[in-house]
Coordinates of all heavy atoms in Angstrom, one line a residue:
V121 N 15.7 -12.5 -17.7 CA 16.2 -12.0 -18.9 C 17.4 -12.8 -19.3 O 18.4 -12.9 -18.6 CB 16.7 -10.5 -18.8 CG1 17.2 -10.0 -20.1 CG2 15.5 -9.7 -18.3
P122 N 17.3 -13.5 -20.5 CA 18.5 -14.4 -20.9 C 19.7 -13.5 -21.0 O 19.7 -12.4 -21.5 CB 18.0 -14.9 -22.3 CG 16.5 -14.8 -22.3 CD 16.2 -13.6 -21.4
H123 N 20.8 -14.1 -20.6 CA 22.1 -13.4 -20.6 C 23.2 -14.4 -20.6 O 23.1 -15.6 -20.3 CB 22.2 -12.5 -19.3 CG 22.1 -13.3 -18.0 ND1 20.9 -13.6 -17.5 CD2 23.1 -13.8 -17.2 CE1 21.1 -14.3 -16.4 NE2 22.4 -14.4 -16.2
A124 N 24.4 -13.9 -21.0 CA 25.6 -14.7 -21.0 C 26.4 -14.5 -19.7 O 25.9 -13.8 -18.8 CB 26.4 -14.4 -22.3
R125 N 27.6 -14.9 -19.7 CA 28.3 -14.9 -18.4 C 28.5 -13.6 -17.8 O 28.3 -13.4 -16.6 CB 29.7 -15.6 -18.7 CG 30.5 -15.8 -17.5 CD 31.7 -16.6 -17.8 NE 32.6 -16.9 -16.7 CZ 33.7 -17.6 -16.8 NH1 34.1 -18.1 -17.9 NH2 34.4 -17.7 -15.7
H126 N 28.9 -12.6 -18.6 CA 29.3 -11.3 -18.0 C 28.3 -10.1 -18.4 O 28.7 -9.0 -18.1 CB 30.7 -10.9 -18.4 CG 31.7 -11.9 -17.9 ND1 32.0 -11.9 -16.5 CD2 32.5 -12.8 -18.5 CE1 33.0 -12.8 -16.3 NE2 33.2 -13.4 -17.5
D127 N 27.2 -10.4 -19.1 CA 26.5 -9.3 -19.7 C 25.1 -9.1 -19.1 O 24.2 -8.6 -19.7 CB 26.4 -9.4 -21.2 CG 25.5 -10.6 -21.6 OD1 25.2 -11.4 -20.8 OD2 25.3 -10.8 -22.9
L128 N 24.9 -9.6 -17.8 CA 23.6 -9.4 -17.2 C 23.1 -8.0 -17.2 O 22.0 -7.7 -17.5 CB 23.7 -10.0 -15.8 CG 22.4 -9.9 -14.9 CD1 21.2 -10.7 -15.6 CD2 22.6 -10.3 -13.5
G129 N 24.0 -7.1 -16.8 CA 23.6 -5.7 -16.7 C 23.1 -5.1 -18.0 O 22.1 -4.4 -18.1
Q130 N 23.9 -5.4 -19.1 CA 23.5 -4.9 -20.4 C 22.2 -5.5 -20.9 O 21.3 -4.8 -21.5 CB 24.6 -5.2 -21.4 CG 25.9 -4.5 -21.1 CD 26.9 -5.4 -20.4 OE1 26.5 -5.9 -19.3 NE2 28.1 -5.6 -20.9
K131 N 22.0 -6.8 -20.6 CA 20.7 -7.4 -21.1 C 19.5 -6.9 -20.3 O 18.4 -6.7 -20.8 CB 20.8 -9.0 -20.9 CG 21.9 -9.6 -21.8 CD 21.5 -9.5 -23.3 CE 22.5 -10.3 -24.1 NZ 22.3 -10.1 -25.6
V132 N 19.7 -6.7 -19.0 CA 18.6 -6.1 -18.2 C 18.3 -4.7 -18.7 O 17.1 -4.4 -18.8 CB 19.0 -6.2 -16.7 CG1 18.0 -5.3 -15.9 CG2 19.0 -7.6 -16.2
A133 N 19.3 -3.9 -18.9 CA 19.1 -2.6 -19.4 C 18.3 -2.6 -20.7 O 17.4 -1.7 -21.0 CB 20.4 -1.8 -19.5
V146 N 15.0 -9.0 -10.6 CA 15.7 -9.7 -11.6 C 15.9 -11.1 -11.1 O 16.4 -11.3 -10.0 CB 17.0 -9.0 -11.9 CG1 17.9 -9.8 -12.9 CG2 16.8 -7.6 -12.5
Y147 N 15.6 -12.0 -12.0 CA 15.5 -13.5 -11.7 C 16.8 -14.1 -12.3 O 17.0 -14.0 -13.5 CB 14.2 -14.1 -12.2 CG 13.9 -15.4 -11.7 CD1 14.6 -16.1 -10.7 CD2 12.7 -16.1 -12.2 CE1 14.2 -17.4 -10.2 CE2 12.3 -17.3 -11.7 CZ 13.1 -18.0 -10.8 OH 12.7 -19.2 -10.3
T148 N 17.6 -14.8 -11.5 CA 18.7 -15.5 -12.1 C 18.8 -17.0 -11.5 O 18.2 -17.2 -10.5 CB 20.1 -14.8 -11.7 OG1 20.2 -14.7 -10.3 CG2 20.1 -13.4 -12.4
Y149 N 19.6 -17.8 -12.1 CA 19.6 -19.2 -11.7 C 21.1 -19.6 -11.5 O 22.0 -19.2 -12.1 CB 19.1 -20.1 -12.9 CG 17.6 -19.8 -13.2 CD1 17.2 -18.7 -13.9 CD2 16.6 -20.6 -12.7 CE1 15.9 -18.4 -14.2 CE2 15.3 -20.4 -12.9 CZ 14.9 -19.3 -13.6 OH 13.6 -19.0 -13.9
H150 N 21.2 -20.6 -10.5 CA 22.6 -21.1 -10.1 C 22.5 -22.6 -9.8 O 21.5 -23.1 -9.4 CB 23.0 -20.3 -8.8 CG 23.3 -18.9 -9.0 ND1 24.5 -18.4 -9.4 CD2 22.5 -17.8 -8.9 CE1 24.5 -17.1 -9.5 NE2 23.2 -16.7 -9.2
G157 N 36.4 -20.0 -7.5 CA 36.8 -19.9 -8.9 C 36.0 -18.9 -9.7 O 35.4 -17.9 -9.1
T158 N 35.9 -19.1 -11.0 CA 35.3 -18.1 -11.9 C 34.0 -18.5 -12.4 O 33.4 -17.7 -13.2 CB 36.3 -17.8 -13.1 OG1 36.5 -19.0 -13.8 CG2 37.6 -17.2 -12.6
R159 N 33.5 -19.7 -12.1 CA 32.2 -20.1 -12.7 C 31.1 -19.3 -12.0 O 30.8 -19.4 -10.8 CB 32.0 -21.6 -12.4 CG 32.8 -22.5 -13.2 CD 32.3 -24.0 -13.1 NE 31.2 -24.3 -13.9 CZ 29.9 -24.4 -13.4 NH1 29.7 -24.3 -12.1 NH2 28.9 -24.7 -14.3
R160 N 30.4 -18.5 -12.8 CA 29.3 -17.7 -12.3 C 28.1 -18.6 -11.8 O 27.4 -18.2 -10.9 CB 28.8 -16.7 -13.3 CG 29.8 -15.6 -13.7 CD 30.2 -14.8 -12.5 NE 30.9 -13.5 -12.9 CZ 32.2 -13.4 -12.9 NH1 33.0 -14.4 -12.5 NH2 32.8 -12.2 -13.3
E161 N 28.0 -19.7 -12.5 CA 26.9 -20.6 -12.2 C 26.9 -21.0 -10.7 O 25.9 -21.3 -10.1 CB 26.9 -21.9 -13.0 CG 26.7 -21.6 -14.5 CD 28.0 -21.3 -15.3 OE1 29.0 -21.0 -14.6 OE2 27.9 -21.4 -16.5
G162 N 28.1 -21.2 -10.1 CA 28.3 -21.7 -8.8 C 28.4 -20.6 -7.8 O 28.8 -20.9 -6.6
Q163 N 28.2 -19.3 -8.1 CA 28.4 -18.2 -7.2 C 27.0 -17.5 -7.0 O 26.5 -16.8 -7.9 CB 29.4 -17.2 -7.7 CG 30.8 -17.7 -7.8 CD 31.7 -16.7 -8.4 OE1 31.4 -15.5 -8.4 NE2 32.9 -17.1 -8.7
L164 N 26.4 -17.7 -5.9 CA 25.3 -16.8 -5.6 C 25.8 -15.4 -5.4 O 26.9 -15.2 -4.8 CB 24.7 -17.2 -4.2 CG 24.0 -18.6 -4.2 CD1 23.3 -18.8 -2.9 CD2 23.0 -18.8 -5.3
L165 N 25.1 -14.5 -6.0 CA 25.5 -13.1 -6.0 C 26.9 -12.9 -6.7 O 27.8 -12.4 -6.1 CB 25.5 -12.5 -4.6 CG 24.2 -12.4 -3.9 CD1 24.2 -12.3 -2.4 CD2 23.4 -11.3 -4.5
S166 N 26.8 -13.2 -8.0 CA 28.0 -12.9 -8.8 C 28.2 -11.4 -8.9 O 27.3 -10.6 -8.5 CB 27.8 -13.4 -10.2 OG 26.8 -12.6 -10.9
P167 N 29.4 -10.9 -9.3 CA 29.6 -9.5 -9.4 C 28.6 -8.8 -10.2 O 28.2 -7.7 -9.9 CB 31.0 -9.4 -10.0 CG 31.7 -10.7 -9.6 CD 30.6 -11.7 -9.6
E168 N 28.2 -9.4 -11.3 CA 27.1 -8.8 -12.2 C 25.8 -8.7 -11.5 O 25.1 -7.7 -11.6 CB 27.0 -9.7 -13.5 CG 28.2 -9.7 -14.4 CD 29.3 -10.6 -13.9 OE1 29.0 -11.5 -13.1 OE2 30.4 -10.4 -14.4
E169 N 25.4 -9.7 -10.7 CA 24.2 -9.6 -9.9 C 24.3 -8.5 -8.9 O 23.3 -7.8 -8.7 CB 23.9 -11.0 -9.3 CG 23.5 -12.1 -10.2 CD 23.5 -13.5 -9.6 OE1 24.2 -13.7 -8.6 OE2 22.7 -14.3 -10.1
Q170 N 25.4 -8.4 -8.2 CA 25.5 -7.4 -7.2 C 25.4 -6.0 -7.8 O 24.8 -5.1 -7.2 CB 26.8 -7.5 -6.5 CG 26.9 -8.8 -5.7 CD 28.2 -8.9 -4.8 OE1 28.5 -8.0 -4.1 NE2 28.8 -10.1 -4.8
A171 N 25.9 -5.8 -9.0 CA 25.8 -4.5 -9.7 C 24.3 -4.2 -10.0 O 23.8 -3.2 -9.8 CB 26.7 -4.5 -10.9
V172 N 23.6 -5.2 -10.6 CA 22.2 -5.1 -11.0 C 21.4 -4.9 -9.7 O 20.4 -4.1 -9.7 CB 21.7 -6.3 -11.8 CG1 20.2 -6.4 -11.9 CG2 22.3 -6.3 -13.2
G173 N 21.8 -5.5 -8.6 CA 21.0 -5.4 -7.4 C 21.1 -4.1 -6.6 O 20.4 -3.9 -5.6
E174 N 22.0 -3.2 -7.1 CA 22.1 -1.9 -6.4 C 20.8 -1.2 -6.3 O 20.5 -0.5 -5.3 CB 23.2 -1.1 -7.1 CG 24.6 -1.6 -6.9 CD 25.6 -0.8 -7.6 OE1 25.2 0.3 -8.2 OE2 26.8 -1.1 -7.5
D175 N 20.0 -1.2 -7.4 CA 18.7 -0.5 -7.4 C 17.6 -1.4 -7.9 O 16.6 -0.9 -8.4 CB 18.8 0.8 -8.3 CG 19.3 0.5 -9.6 OD1 19.6 -0.7 -10.0 OD2 19.4 1.5 -10.4
R176 N 17.7 -2.7 -7.6 CA 16.7 -3.7 -7.9 C 16.7 -4.8 -6.9 O 17.7 -4.9 -6.2 CB 16.8 -4.3 -9.3 CG 16.9 -3.3 -10.5 CD 17.3 -4.0 -11.8 NE 17.5 -3.1 -12.9 CZ 18.6 -2.4 -13.1 NH1 19.7 -2.6 -12.3 NH2 18.7 -1.6 -14.1
M177 N 15.7 -5.6 -6.8 CA 15.8 -6.8 -5.9 C 16.2 -8.0 -6.8 O 16.1 -8.0 -8.0 CB 14.4 -7.0 -5.3 CG 14.0 -6.0 -4.3 SD 12.3 -6.3 -3.6 CE 11.3 -5.7 -5.0
L178 N 16.7 -9.0 -6.1 CA 17.2 -10.2 -6.8 C 16.5 -11.4 -6.3 O 16.2 -11.6 -5.1 CB 18.7 -10.4 -6.6 CG 19.6 -9.3 -7.1 CD1 21.0 -9.5 -6.5 CD2 19.6 -9.2 -8.6
L179 N 16.0 -12.3 -7.2 CA 15.5 -13.6 -6.9 C 16.6 -14.6 -7.4 O 16.8 -14.7 -8.6 CB 14.2 -13.9 -7.5 CG 13.6 -15.3 -7.5 CD1 13.6 -15.8 -6.1 CD2 12.3 -15.4 -8.2
L180 N 17.2 -15.3 -6.5 CA 18.2 -16.3 -6.8 C 17.6 -17.7 -6.8 O 17.2 -18.1 -5.7 CB 19.4 -16.2 -5.9 CG 20.0 -14.8 -5.7 CD1 21.1 -14.8 -4.6 CD2 20.5 -14.2 -7.0
R216 N 28.6 -15.7 1.6 CA 28.6 -14.7 0.5 C 27.3 -13.9 0.6 O 27.3 -12.6 0.4 CB 28.7 -15.4 -0.9 CG 30.0 -16.0 -1.2 CD 29.9 -16.8 -2.5 NE 29.6 -15.9 -3.7 CZ 30.6 -15.3 -4.4 NH1 31.9 -15.5 -4.2 NH2 30.2 -14.6 -5.4
Y220 N 27.0 -9.8 1.5 CA 26.2 -8.9 0.7 C 25.3 -8.1 1.5 O 25.1 -6.9 1.3 CB 25.5 -9.7 -0.4 CG 24.6 -8.9 -1.3 CD1 25.1 -8.1 -2.3 CD2 23.2 -8.9 -1.2 CE1 24.2 -7.3 -3.1 CE2 22.3 -8.2 -2.0 CZ 22.9 -7.4 -3.0 OH 22.0 -6.7 -3.8
R223 N 27.1 -5.5 3.7 CA 27.7 -4.4 2.9 C 26.6 -3.5 2.4 O 26.8 -2.3 2.3 CB 28.6 -5.0 1.8 CG 29.3 -3.9 1.0 CD 30.3 -4.6 0.1 NE 29.7 -5.6 -0.7 CZ 29.0 -5.5 -1.8 NH1 28.8 -4.2 -2.3 NH2 28.5 -6.5 -2.5
K226 N 20.8 -5.0 2.0 CA 19.7 -5.5 1.2 C 19.5 -7.0 1.4 O 20.4 -7.8 1.7 CB 20.1 -5.3 -0.3 CG 20.3 -3.8 -0.6 CD 20.3 -3.6 -2.1 CE 18.9 -3.8 -2.7 NZ 18.8 -3.4 -4.1
V228 N 17.7 -10.7 -0.2 CA 17.5 -11.3 -1.5 C 16.4 -12.4 -1.3 O 16.3 -13.0 -0.3 CB 18.8 -12.0 -2.1 CG1 19.8 -10.9 -2.3 CG2 19.3 -13.0 -1.1

Side-chain angles (χ1 to χ4, degrees):
V121 181
H123 57 278
R125 186 173 178 180
H126 295 289
D127 65 355
L128 176 64
Q130 297 95 304
K131 295 296 186 182
V132 167
V146 172
Y147 195 4
T148 58
Y149 298 80
H150 293 270
T158 59
R159 288 191 80 252
R160 296 297 195 261
E161 295 90 341
Q163 295 180 13
L164 295 187
L165 292 164
S166 68
E168 293 78 17
E169 287 169 335
Q170 295 188 44
V172 166
E174 288 180 1
D175 51 0
R176 304 170 187 86
M177 292 177 286
L178 298 171
L179 170 57
L180 310 175
R216 289 174 66 91
Y220 174 76
R223 181 171 52 81
K226 300 195 71 171
V228 297

